[in-house]
Amino acid sequence: MSSYLVLARKYRPKQFSDIVGQQSVVRTLVNAIQLKRTHQAYVFSGSRGIGKTSIARIFSKALRCPNVIERDGLLVSCDACSDCHEIASGTSVNVLEIDGASNNGVENVREIRENAKFLPSSGQYKIYIIDEVHMLSNQAFNALLKTLEEPPEHVVFIFATTESHKIPETILGRCQRFDFKRVTVAQIVERVTQVLNSEKIEFEPAALSLIARAAEGSMRDALSILDQVISFSGMRVSAIAVRDSIGLIGTELVLSLLTAVLERNAVPALSTLQTAFNQGVDLRALLKALIEMTHALLLLKAGVSEPETPFNSDEIASLKRLLDRRELEEIELIFQVYHHGLDLLSRAPQPKLVFDMLVIKTALAEALVRTGGGGEGKATESPRKNPVTEPRPVQQAGPATVSPAAVPSAPPPTAPIQSSAPTGLGFDFRASLSTPAPKVEPSTAVRSPVLAGGKTWEGMIQFATAARPVLGILLESVVEWTLPNGPEDKFRLGFRMKDRTKADQLQQKAMKDQFLLLTENYLGFKAQPEVFFSEIQSESLAERAEREDREQQENTMKRILSHEVVQEATSLFGARLTQVEVVKRNS
Ligand SMILES: Nc1ncnc2c1ncn2[C@@H]1O[C@H](COP(=O)(O)OP(=O)(O)OP(=O)(O)O)[C@@H](O)[C@H]1O
Ligand SMILES: [Mg+2]
Ligand SMILES: [Zn+2]
């Protein structure tokens, strides 16, 4: 394998039938041609490597190839005529591919306008594919708008973009818009299987799902990863080769770590982590995998029977066996801790220490739900589903509001750490676990949700954090907002560009439903969220929480490092210092 993009280029789809996913886009375009009702301007938007350019070319061929036929409801171009050849190689004078990023000035658009006036050299259509169109300058957009107001009849524009929100509304309003979807794991596996079969390369099915997951929805990335694996491992694509070549984390490792955490076995969890660390596992990747698995668990716990997750059916079955270990609220908290932790971990000088803390925190999450923080009101209000047989005396930290069912059946091995941690290390696990700690009394908020007057954004976030931590996390990233005056108003939420995955998440159905419920409970009416991108660059609540968390963590680190026992231990054991510290204090 010589070059990195070999497979992605070699397997660029040539016909609509080669396209994986994007069915509604394909369907609509084919129908338009068949009914002779094509638009004059299209916007193809969506993330990288999911078929925008490929479909633009296939659509152009279908419009221009004189020998186009219909097969299985799709249009098939001949791929033999000069039109087909030139379009595929990007050399056609009637199908012009223009890079909007490097031709973003007003003079470039004027040139296109001039050129567009002339009839195609043959055939009916002249097609302009403008890639990265969001890069055009304001003036260039204005010039383009003039063309779109009265386009010559033979012209079709296709604007491809990964950032459609940067295109002015005036332009979007004159285009038919297609939002391309990320390619699913199953679709990637399907396509990669085809590619390997035609390359006559053997593979293990497990290897393909690893590749598909690592590609994060991009078909191009999947094929690039495949290239990498093949060049690494030769003619057999095995799961181990995939892991080794791209540093993926084994699911068994993540599963055993999460199992120990859910079962409140901090010590085995820490030693699993230590072993992984010793083997050179990338901690950030491991934490990401842990987040992914906790998320899957959360979906299962919430009653989604077949969640769209990267895990195979065996893994899902293993996760289902873990469902009764924790309540939904606890799993949400664990998710929240890992989610916040990712940023901490990335910046920490000693990421392993941060990871240890995260493991300890989450192994102790049970204590949080029992003794304070967001879960308390809920727990008292709605008795747990899994009554536990052997109640255990409440520890000193627990007030009398203990929900009987929240008490675990066996004394958790982590109890000593919990009791010594706040005093010994000046670091309160429970307090930091609920970051940001709701300032309103959480139980009150949960029990009597409709507050009279005085509604604020901060109040709403606290309310969300107490009731639905994941939603809370998303809302903490909002930097600009407008509270609605009534149900007919939209609740406008401004995210910064860099938080757009959060913006996307908020717009997914399940999250949107949670948001509606939240507004209904907090404001007294359902307010539809309207997400926009804000120019404001200030620190979001989430970042503030992260910074404070980090500062606290650094403080803790300083205290740990300056402790005489640790100093001694460091010189004796080197990297094992956190564990020495924790074990020492509790023995
Ligand atoms: N939906 C798809 N079906 C099959 N193959 C695809 C699909 N999307 C992408 N590919 C593969 O990825 C390569 C790149 O796809 P394409 O250029 O169409 O992506 P794009 O969406 O235009 O990406 P970019 O935003 O980076 O320009 C193709 O050559 C093809 O191998
Ligand atoms: Mg493209
Ligand atoms: Zn042709």
Side-chain angles (χ1 to χ4, degrees):
M1 285 296 132
S2 44
S3 122
Y4 195 67
L5 269 174
V6 171
L7 291 175
R9 221 177 284 139
K10 183 167 172 191
Y11 290 91
R12 182 182 279 289
K14 293 192 177 67
Q15 300 292 351
F16 284 121
S17 57
D18 299 331
I19 294 286
V20 176
Q22 322 300 3
Q23 286 95 348
S24 69
V25 179
V26 168
R27 191 70 269 146
T28 313
L29 290 174
V30 170
N31 285 346
I33 299 179
Q34 286 171 330
L35 300 170
K36 302 203 189 314
R37 300 178 91 150
T38 48
H39 281 244
Q40 289 208 275
Y42 294 92
V43 167
F44 288 2
S45 73
S47 54
R48 305 186 62 78
I50 59 178
K52 300 182 298 295
T53 301
S54 305
I55 292 185
R57 288 186 186 167
I58 295 169
F59 180 55
S60 304
K61 286 197 295 184
L63 282 175
R64 287 199 46 92
C65 170
N67 312 316
V68 81
I69 57 160
E70 195 186 311
R71 190 187 298 149
D72 300 331
L74 293 178
L75 294 170
V76 183
S77 55
C78 75
D79 280 344
C81 69
S82 58
D83 262 307
C84 284
H85 276 302
E86 286 165 9
I87 293 170
S89 61
T91 55
S92 168
V93 290
N94 298 309
V95 178
L96 295 121
E97 287 191 35
I98 297 155
D99 172 25
S102 49
N103 299 287
N104 64 349
V106 62
E107 65 286 358
N108 302 112
V109 174
R110 287 206 185 110
E111 217 172 284
I112 295 172
R113 280 177 66 187
E114 285 309 306
N115 183 291
K117 285 181 190 156
F118 299 103
L119 288 172
S121 65
S122 67
Q124 194 184 343
Y125 294 104
K126 195 158 178 176
I127 301 155
Y128 293 84
I129 301 172
I130 306 187
D131 229 322
E132 305 292 321
V133 72
H134 60 269
M135 301 292 280
L136 295 194
S137 69
N138 280 341
Q139 274 184 313
F141 272 128
N142 284 336
L144 189 62
L145 189 60
K146 289 209 185 104
T147 316
L148 292 181
E149 277 161 359
E150 287 170 34
E153 239 173 75
H154 56 271
V155 168
V156 175
F157 284 105
I158 301 173
F159 304 125
T161 178
T162 47
E163 312 198 24
S164 61
H165 55 272
K166 290 189 179 162
I167 303 177
E169 282 297 331
T170 45
I171 301 269
L172 290 175
R174 301 198 167 268
C175 301
Q176 181 171 26
R177 180 168 168 182
F178 291 109
D179 290 317
F180 282 53
K181 303 257 177 335
R182 277 176 195 271
V183 191
T184 66
V185 168
Q187 289 164 340
I188 293 180
V189 168
E190 178 192 329
R191 180 69 170 167
V192 170
T193 305
Q194 288 169 3
V195 168
L196 286 170
N197 285 338
S198 23
E199 293 286 311
K200 301 204 174 15
I201 294 175
E202 280 180 40
F203 60 90
E204 288 174 11
L208 302 201
S209 56
L210 289 178
I211 293 176
R213 278 147 61 171
E216 296 185 336
S218 163
M219 187 66 87
R220 186 199 287 110
D221 286 0
L223 294 177
S224 305
I225 294 171
L226 185 60
D227 267 329
Q228 209 179 326
V229 175
I230 293 170
S231 64
F232 178 89
S233 69
M235 296 307 272
R236 189 178 152 73
V237 175
S238 66
I240 292 183
V242 174
R243 272 182 199 134
D244 286 352
S245 66
I246 58 177
L248 277 181
I249 308 293
T251 312
E252 320 81 68
L253 166 64
V254 189
L255 194 59
S256 68
L257 190 52
L258 187 60
T259 304
V261 164
L262 293 173
E263 293 179 342
R264 306 180 177 92
N265 290 327
V267 176
L270 287 170
S271 77
T272 305
L273 177 59
Q274 183 70 46
T275 312
F277 183 66
N278 293 345
Q279 289 167 350
V281 163
D282 174 26
L283 292 183
R284 207 181 131 77
L286 177 59
L287 184 53
K288 276 188 170 175
L290 202 53
I291 292 173
E292 213 171 37
M293 191 174 277
T294 313
H295 179 245
L297 192 71
L298 207 49
L299 293 179
L300 290 169
K301 188 81 183 180
V304 184
S305 58
E306 284 177 20
E308 163 82 28
T309 72
F311 302 105
N312 67 31
S313 50
D314 286 348
E315 291 156 358
I316 291 289
S318 306
L319 284 179
K320 283 187 175 160
R321 281 195 286 277
L322 292 173
L323 281 181
D324 64 350
R325 301 295 197 284
R326 300 286 189 125
E327 294 302 320
L328 182 65
E329 294 91 334
E330 292 175 291
I331 304 173
E332 280 189 324
L333 282 166
I334 293 172
F335 177 82
Q336 185 185 17
V337 170
Y338 292 152
H339 199 278
H340 275 301
L342 193 58
D343 185 63
L344 277 178
L345 189 88
S346 312
R347 302 189 215 191
Q350 284 162 297
K352 169 66 166 46
L353 297 188
V354 176
F355 212 139
D356 282 345
M357 291 292 178
L358 297 177
V359 166
I360 295 170
K361 273 186 189 182
T362 50
L364 288 170
E366 167 268 325
L368 171 98
V369 175
R370 200 177 65 246
T371 61
E376 186 195 332
K378 272 244 138 128
T380 347
E381 202 176 58
S382 54
R384 308 291 170 117
K385 278 180 279 326
N386 315 306
V388 176
T389 43
E390 242 179 89
R392 164 180 75 85
V394 184
Q395 287 176 9
Q396 68 272 37
T401 54
V402 179
S403 152
V407 180
S409 51
T414 53
I417 301 177
Q418 181 206 346
S419 51
S420 75
T423 43
L425 302 177
F427 179 78
D428 187 340
F429 289 123
R430 281 155 301 164
S432 62
L433 180 54
S434 62
T435 308
K439 284 177 210 82
V440 289
E441 199 57 48
S443 50
T444 324
V446 175
R447 283 208 200 100
S448 49
V450 185
L451 304 179
K455 268 123 203 164
T456 62
W457 172 248
E458 285 75 14
M460 176 153 146
I461 291 200
Q462 284 161 10
F463 189 79
T465 307
R468 286 279 166 251
V470 180
L471 179 61
I473 292 175
L474 297 183
L475 295 182
E476 279 174 15
S477 293
V478 168
V479 288
E480 206 183 331
W481 58 87
T482 323
L483 292 172
N485 290 319
E488 62 289 344
D489 266 6
K490 295 254 156 111
F491 201 133
R492 288 178 43 81
L493 303 165
F495 287 83
R496 286 163 315 178
M497 265 316 294
K498 62 176 180 167
D499 289 323
R500 56 198 251 243
T501 47
K502 291 194 176 137
D504 286 347
Q505 257 176 292
L506 186 63
Q507 295 182 91
Q508 277 158 20
K509 169 118 181 33
M511 262 314 148
K512 223 177 185 165
D513 288 348
Q514 282 195 12
F515 185 86
L516 291 177
L517 203 63
L518 171 71
T519 51
E520 186 172 29
N521 285 337
Y522 184 69
L523 300 173
F525 55 88
K526 282 188 180 165
Q528 290 284 347
E530 182 178 273
V531 167
F532 65 99
F533 288 98
S534 167
E535 297 297 321
I536 292 183
Q537 289 306 326
S538 61
E539 188 180 46
S540 70
L541 275 178
E543 281 164 346
R544 195 176 75 198
E546 266 158 25
R547 178 171 51 75
E548 287 170 0
D549 217 7
R550 193 166 56 245
E551 284 165 6
Q552 190 180 23
Q553 196 96 35
E554 279 161 11
N555 253 339
T556 311
M557 275 301 305
K558 269 192 213 132
R559 298 189 56 167
I560 293 177
L561 289 172
S562 60
H563 197 289
E564 53 182 295
V565 177
V566 179
Q567 302 232 315
E568 201 179 311
T570 317
S571 60
L572 284 174
F573 302 110
R576 284 181 54 89
L577 116 179
T578 25
Q579 260 175 300
V580 171
E581 163 73 356
V582 172
V583 171
K584 186 96 193 160
R585 290 202 157 269
N586 299 301
S587 53

